[in-house]
């Protein structure tokens, strides 16, 4: 079993404070969801955990199995077991999807014992099958010209091939049609088990019908303001964020609110 | 007419030792005399004039020790030539080639056995002897090379591969000449590998002439990996007659300072040159690449596509010159030059030059100088790839459009391997 703990995390970007003390603890075997209004810092939290250079941690810690990882470069965090399915994955022309994924897997293996091409292709083929992806996607350049939905599927493909300990999925459901939503959920559910934990950022309760979370966190104004079970997501779906905010007596302006 | 050889005892001695034809020896002495009044060629934004690029050593026949080739391990193919310094170690040509009258021979043999052909083509059509100081010095100091002659209507499916290994175990200039004559309607593929053994500071002066006669098609590819202490002038030029085509694919993976002058003269109507260049500069080296296509005949096509990557403190300049002469109606000149810089200390330039003297033509250019995209690096690293490997992937991706456009799969694969190796070596300096 592994643990991931975020302690009093403060993060700023371009000098602007976005996260103002986030606390969160999870372990493998669990699925956590984060919901929260636009611009509240959900992606900031995930990028800061992964180690995007633009996000500056000004205070706090991120502990993986009790070790602070904030000093580690991005690639070492990844090899330590973290994975981030990004809200906006980059496009890399000239590098094929398959070549990239194989490189990522081999980066975790001893240099003299890489995964053989044949075994890799076998696994890739099978996993792409689970995600209803066509073979052709393996030979295309990484995310280049992929539709929004294809990019999301491709993030899950990487997740399933790399098998991290903890995966943060940032709006993996946005831009997915109904069938694709089921397919992607199937992929994530297949990963579920005692050695895998996931933090799922979403705006829509619907995803959580397919991937049922153990814990739901609500984030507002750069903090986690409430935690609960799956029913909390249903309540938000019905009532929106304003009700919860007023109930908690928070002084936060929501993006869509009239001044 | 005759030159007094007594004035040139070293040339006379060399001529006697190698028994080269008198006409060639005469060219040498004339060039030497002419050189005094010639200047170094100038290339936009490439300042190489103070490099040790001029040839100063006396003409001398030297042998190299054969074991040196073991460092290189040339890959065996059906048609191949291996030269080390001035020596030819291996020359293997299939019966298919021989029986069709194809000539492949080293420079000495060419002068001995095909003197008339050499005389007809050597620096007559493509490069001219007295073009500048470097071409004149080239003739005076030339000591090795290869002569290839493909007769009319001969279509060769299998490529010829050459390994030209510069011997820098001693301070010897390397002066090398290749002539490829592709007769009417012939087809020929050629892969050239330039390498260096040894670590002495040396000067290389290399000229390659491709004479593509009517309706012929030459695929010329090269993987250039000259050593860090070799200062090189490398001139490759095509002379294209009616409806001839040359596909140039060049990988500039040298480790030392180099001026590359790559030109195509589209003389005959409907002739076509495609130039693809990938270049990587590392360490502190400077690579200046001046690629020119001149549209002379009607309906000629000249395309230049060159992408380069600059690491550490190195420099890379790409000039792309599309010159359409008056009367070249219906000509097309297109070019794209891009450089990618990986460090703040890298210096690079992509310099498009279009000179158009006729109205009835199409022409276009694209050029860019960029830095490596941090979001791409972050994305790759977030999947566990170490930074340097992520950089290499982004670089290979950047070079991808040029690699993809190279006609031969074999060359593409070979280039990819060389690129990878050059990058891994280059990243050690960072
Ligand atoms: N590169 C940046 N430069 C400036 N501000 C930024 C940058 N990235 C994020 N921000 C700001 O930080 C705040 C939090 O953004 P973040 O992307 O974390 O929100 P989010 O909760 O993920 O929103 P959404 O639900 O819309 O994805 C926003 O106000 C955003 O404008
Ligand atoms: Mg977001």
């Amino acid at each position: 079993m592994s643990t991931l703990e975020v302690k009093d995390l403060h993060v700023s970007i371009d000098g602007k404070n976005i996260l103002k003390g986030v606390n969160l603890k999870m372990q493998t075997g669990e699925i956590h969801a984060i919901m929260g209004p636009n611009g509240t810092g959900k992606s900031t939290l995930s990028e800061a955990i992964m180690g995007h250079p633009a996000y500056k941690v000004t205070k706090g810690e991120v502990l993986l199995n009790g070790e602070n990882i904030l000093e580690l470069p991005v690639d070492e965090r990844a090899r330590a077991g973290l994975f981030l399915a990004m809200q906006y994955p980059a496009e890399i022309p000239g590098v094929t999807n398959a070549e990239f994924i194989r490189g990522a897997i081999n980066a975790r293996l001893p240099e003299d014992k890489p995964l053989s091409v044949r075994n890799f292709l076998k696994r890739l083929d099978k996993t792409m099958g689970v995600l209803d992806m066509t073979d052709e996607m393996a030979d295309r350049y990484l995310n280049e010209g992929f539709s929004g939905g294809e990019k999301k599927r491709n993030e899950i493909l990487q997740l399933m091939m790399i098998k991290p300990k903890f995966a943060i999925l940032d709006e993996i459901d946005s831009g997915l049609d109904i069938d694709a939503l089921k397919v992607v959920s199937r992929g994530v559910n297949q990963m579920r088990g005692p050695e895998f934990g996931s933090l799922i950022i979403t705006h829509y309760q619907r995803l959580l019908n397919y991937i049922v979370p153990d814990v739901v966190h609500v984030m507002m104004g750069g903090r986690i303001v409430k935690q609960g079970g799956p029913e909390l997501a249903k309540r938000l779906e019905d009532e929106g964020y304003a009700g919860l905010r007023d109930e908690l007596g928070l002084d936060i302006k929501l993006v869509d609110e009239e001044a | 007419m005759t030159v007094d050889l007594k004035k040139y005892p070293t040339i006379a001695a060399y001529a006697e030792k190698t028994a080269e034809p008198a006409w060639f020896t005469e060219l040498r002495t004339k060039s030497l005399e002419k050189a005094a009044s010639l200047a170094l060629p100038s290339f936009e934004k490439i300042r190489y004039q103070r490099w040790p690029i001029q040839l100063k050593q006396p003409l001398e026949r030297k042998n190299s020790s054969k074991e040196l080739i073991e460092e290189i391990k040339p890959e065996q193919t059906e048609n191949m030539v291996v030269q080390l310094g001035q020596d030819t170690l291996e020359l293997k040509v299939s019966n298919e080639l021989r029986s069709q009258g194809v000539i492949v021979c080293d420079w000495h043999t060419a002068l001995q056995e095909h003197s008339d052909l050499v005389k007809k083509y050597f620096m007559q059509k493509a490069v001219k002897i007295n073009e500048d100081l470097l071409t004149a010095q080239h003739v005076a100091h030339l000591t090795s090379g290869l002569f290839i002659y493909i007769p009319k209507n001969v279509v060769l499916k299998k490529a010829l591969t050459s390994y030209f290994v510069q011997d820098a175990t001693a301070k010897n200039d390397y002066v090398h000449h290749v002539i490829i004559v592709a007769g009417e309607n012939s087809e020929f593929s050629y892969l050239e590998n330039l390498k260096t053994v040894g670590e002495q500071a040396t000067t290389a002066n290399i000229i390659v002439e491709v004479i593509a006669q009517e309706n012929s098609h030459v695929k010329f590819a090269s993987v250039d990996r000259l050593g860090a202490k070799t200062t090189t002038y490398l001139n490759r030029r095509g002379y294209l007659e009616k409806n001839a085509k040359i596909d140039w694919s060049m990988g500039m993976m040298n480790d030392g300072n180099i001026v590359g002058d790559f030109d195509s003269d589209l003389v005959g109507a409907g002739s076509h040159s495609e130039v693809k260049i990938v270049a990587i500069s590392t360490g502190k080296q400077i690579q200046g690449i001046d690629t020119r296509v001149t549209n002379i005949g009607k309906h000629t096509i000249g395309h230049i596509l060159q992408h380069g990557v600059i690491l550490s403190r190195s420099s890379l300049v790409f000039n792309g010159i599309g010159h359409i002469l008056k009367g070249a109606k219906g000509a097309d000149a297109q070019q794209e030059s891009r450089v990618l810089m990986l460090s703040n200390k890298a210096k690079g330039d992509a310099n498009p030059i279009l000179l158009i003297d006729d109205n009835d033509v199409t022409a276009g250019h694209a050029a860019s100088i960029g830095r490596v995209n941090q979001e791409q690096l972050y994305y790759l690293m977030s999947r566990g790839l170490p930074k340097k490997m992520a950089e290499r992937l982004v670089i290979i991706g950047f070079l991808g459009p040029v690699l993809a456009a190279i006609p031969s799969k074999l060359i593409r694969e070979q280039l990819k391997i060389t690129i990878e190796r050059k990058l891994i070596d280059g990243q050690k300096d960072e």
Side-chain angles (χ1 to χ4, degrees):
Chain A
M1 188 198 72
S2 299
T3 57
L4 179 65
E5 187 174 5
V6 179
K7 270 187 165 166
D8 193 28
L9 193 68
H10 288 66
V11 175
S12 69
I13 180 160
D14 284 346
K16 194 167 110 189
N17 296 324
I18 310 291
L19 298 189
K20 299 163 186 162
V22 173
N23 290 288
L24 190 154
K25 193 170 177 181
M26 63 185 295
Q27 58 189 49
T28 46
E30 295 175 349
I31 303 265
H32 290 223
I34 299 188
M35 303 182 80
N38 291 132
T40 207
K42 302 179 301 296
S43 294
T44 303
L45 174 64
S46 39
E47 297 289 7
I49 294 174
M50 196 69 236
H52 191 297
Y55 296 80
K56 297 280 172 270
V57 175
T58 53
K59 194 177 166 198
E61 291 181 314
V62 176
L63 307 172
L64 181 61
N65 292 331
E67 304 261 353
N68 190 2
I69 56 164
L70 290 179
E71 295 306 313
L72 297 181
V74 180
D75 58 315
E76 284 183 35
R77 295 185 199 192
R79 294 197 298 275
L82 293 184
F83 182 95
L84 169 58
M86 296 186 196
Q87 189 171 359
Y88 305 107
E91 300 192 1
I92 323 241
V95 177
T96 68
N97 218 0
E99 166 181 33
F100 164 60
I101 296 174
R102 192 155 70 93
I105 291 173
N106 283 336
R108 290 162 169 79
L109 299 172
E111 221 168 291
D112 54 339
K113 291 204 181 75
L115 181 64
S116 75
V117 177
R118 171 201 288 247
N119 286 339
F120 167 74
L121 288 177
K122 235 174 28 205
R123 253 189 75 196
L124 183 68
D125 201 53
K126 209 170 122 200
T127 314
M128 288 177 74
V130 173
L131 295 172
D132 280 351
M133 291 171 81
T134 53
D135 291 353
E136 168 246 12
M137 299 297 275
D139 297 321
R140 286 210 14 214
Y141 291 146
L142 183 50
N143 293 331
E144 195 191 33
F146 283 27
S147 74
E150 285 169 344
K151 280 186 183 158
K152 300 288 174 174
R153 244 182 245 234
N154 204 37
E155 294 289 284
I156 299 304
L157 173 66
Q158 293 172 42
L159 166 73
M160 295 176 76
M161 293 296 289
I162 291 173
K163 294 189 178 148
K165 293 192 182 93
F166 289 102
I168 306 168
L169 312 181
D170 192 355
E171 295 199 21
I172 198 68
D173 51 344
S174 73
L176 289 185
D177 63 40
I178 298 158
D179 296 333
L181 188 68
K182 286 184 191 163
V183 165
V184 161
S185 306
R186 182 163 77 208
V188 177
N189 282 329
Q190 215 176 72
M191 295 288 295
R192 259 185 129 142
E195 295 307 318
F196 176 73
S198 188
L199 185 60
I200 298 177
I201 296 169
T202 180
H203 286 296
Y204 306 106
Q205 196 270 329
R206 196 176 59 202
L207 176 70
L208 304 181
N209 288 338
Y210 295 112
I211 311 172
V212 180
D214 301 293
V215 183
V216 174
H217 307 261
V218 181
M219 193 167 172
M220 271 195 245
R223 287 194 189 91
I224 305 251
V225 296
K226 192 170 173 71
Q227 298 189 356
E231 72 290 343
L232 180 55
K234 294 208 173 76
R235 182 185 152 195
L236 287 174
E237 178 96 352
D238 295 340
E239 298 176 12
Y241 292 105
L244 181 66
R245 176 195 58 185
D246 297 342
E247 177 194 304
L248 296 171
L250 297 169
D251 180 21
I252 295 164
K253 197 175 159 300
L254 301 171
V255 177
D256 297 319
E257 249 174 352
E258 300 287 330
Chain B
M1 172 80 187
T2 50
V3 179
D4 185 5
L5 269 178
K6 284 196 202 92
K7 267 167 66 189
Y8 304 100
T10 48
I11 292 182
Y14 179 91
E16 194 182 321
K17 186 168 180 187
T18 61
E20 78 183 9
W23 70 267
F24 198 79
T25 311
E26 202 168 299
L27 274 190
R28 291 187 189 277
T29 54
K30 276 187 182 162
S31 305
L32 208 53
E33 282 176 358
K34 189 78 191 172
S37 61
L38 292 170
L40 287 168
S42 63
F43 306 101
E44 200 87 8
K45 304 210 179 183
I46 305 172
R47 279 195 299 276
Y48 70 96
Q49 280 80 355
R50 287 162 182 273
W51 298 356
I53 202 153
Q54 295 197 44
L55 301 172
K56 298 201 163 132
Q57 292 177 355
L59 189 64
E60 199 183 334
R61 173 80 182 99
K62 286 187 175 156
N63 295 100
S64 295
S65 93
K66 283 192 180 48
E67 304 80 67
L68 291 173
I69 202 70
E70 276 154 32
E71 267 179 51
I72 306 292
K73 299 194 192 71
E75 200 183 316
Q76 289 293 320
T77 50
E78 205 170 326
N79 303 306
M80 67 185 295
V81 179
V82 181
Q83 294 185 351
L84 171 65
Q86 300 180 17
D87 301 334
T88 297
L89 303 187
E90 191 168 352
L91 198 159
K92 213 167 67 177
V93 175
S94 68
N95 284 336
E96 183 206 350
L97 262 74
R98 289 257 181 254
S99 64
Q100 297 187 85
V102 174
I103 301 170
V104 179
C105 62
D106 68 28
W107 198 249
H108 303 284
T109 313
L111 283 175
Q112 301 294 332
E113 295 176 13
H114 306 283
S115 178
D116 290 347
L117 279 176
V118 177
K119 194 171 183 177
K120 185 166 167 195
Y121 294 107
F122 176 74
M123 297 179 88
Q124 296 300 312
K125 289 185 177 279
V127 182
K128 302 288 159 36
I129 293 173
N130 294 332
E131 222 161 83
D132 54 53
L133 183 54
L134 294 177
T135 56
Q137 287 183 350
H138 176 87
V139 179
H141 293 84
L142 179 57
T143 47
S144 65
L146 190 69
F147 181 76
I148 301 167
Y149 182 85
I150 317 295
K152 205 165 140 168
N153 300 328
V154 171
V155 174
L156 298 172
K157 290 285 168 242
K158 296 245 169 72
L160 171 72
T161 305
S162 65
Y163 291 84
F164 299 135
V165 183
Q166 178 217 2
D167 179 358
T169 57
K171 283 189 175 299
N172 296 324
D173 291 340
Y174 182 63
V175 190
H176 191 81
H177 198 99
V178 177
I179 294 180
I180 298 172
V181 180
E184 270 174 50
N185 306 317
S186 68
E187 282 178 34
F188 177 59
S189 296
Y190 173 73
L191 168 61
E192 180 165 288
N193 296 276
L194 286 178
K195 302 200 183 215
T196 297
V197 288
E199 312 241 296
Q200 295 293 323
T202 51
T203 302
N205 179 319
I206 302 166
I207 295 180
V208 177
E209 301 184 275
V210 180
I211 291 124
Q213 294 177 339
E214 192 170 329
N215 212 29
S216 65
H217 186 179
V218 177
K219 287 182 190 164
F220 180 101
S222 66
V223 180
D224 302 326
R225 256 219 103 168
L226 293 164
K229 292 191 175 160
T230 304
T231 302
T232 307
Y233 165 69
L234 175 58
N235 181 342
R236 293 194 173 114
R237 193 172 302 174
Y239 177 91
L240 293 89
E241 297 178 7
K242 195 172 154 193
N243 291 327
K245 184 176 184 200
I246 303 180
D247 285 301
W248 302 93
S249 311
M250 295 185 250
M252 295 289 281
M253 305 289 142
N254 306 291
D255 290 331
N257 292 349
I258 183 163
V259 187
D261 182 9
F262 305 131
D263 301 335
S264 301
D265 289 317
L266 303 173
V267 179
S271 58
H272 182 170
S273 179
E274 289 285 335
V275 191
K276 312 274 191 280
I277 300 174
V278 290
I280 296 172
S281 288
T282 55
K284 291 182 185 165
Q285 76 171 138
I286 303 169
Q287 296 195 97
I289 295 168
D290 192 271
T291 309
R292 169 178 67 79
V293 177
T294 302
N295 300 70
I296 301 162
K298 290 193 173 67
H299 303 288
T300 48
I301 302 169
H303 292 168
I304 299 169
L305 177 63
Q306 41 192 6
H307 284 196
V309 178
I310 318 170
L311 278 69
S312 315
R313 296 159 175 273
S314 64
S315 305
L316 175 65
V317 176
F318 273 135
N319 292 329
I321 305 170
H323 190 179
I324 302 183
L325 298 192
K326 186 141 191 68
K329 302 252 175 273
D332 181 40
Q334 305 290 342
Q335 56 166 295
E336 178 186 322
S337 303
R338 301 192 187 280
V339 297
L340 177 70
M341 291 188 273
L342 269 98
S343 91
N344 292 329
K345 289 171 186 126
K347 289 201 226 45
D349 213 334
N351 191 22
I353 304 165
L354 274 177
L355 307 161
I356 300 179
D357 301 328
D358 202 289
N359 295 323
D360 180 19
V361 301
T362 49
H365 64 82
S368 66
I369 305 168
R371 296 202 175 274
V372 72
N373 180 326
Q374 295 302 323
E375 289 301 322
Q376 292 181 336
L377 276 188
Y378 167 66
Y379 185 76
L380 296 171
M381 287 172 70
S382 81
R383 301 309 187 232
L385 297 180
K387 182 162 188 220
K388 288 187 170 177
M389 191 190 273
E391 280 182 352
R392 289 202 297 276
L393 282 181
V394 172
I395 290 170
I396 289 179
F398 174 79
L399 300 175
V402 188
L403 292 174
I406 289 174
S408 149
K409 183 168 182 208
L410 193 80
I411 307 291
R412 275 201 302 273
E413 295 304 316
Q414 205 142 349
L415 263 176
K416 259 194 165 172
I417 293 167
T418 316
I419 288 168
E420 185 91 15
R421 207 171 299 151
K422 164 91 173 159
L423 286 176
I424 290 173
D425 290 351
Q427 283 177 327
K428 287 182 193 144
D429 295 336
E430 305 217 303

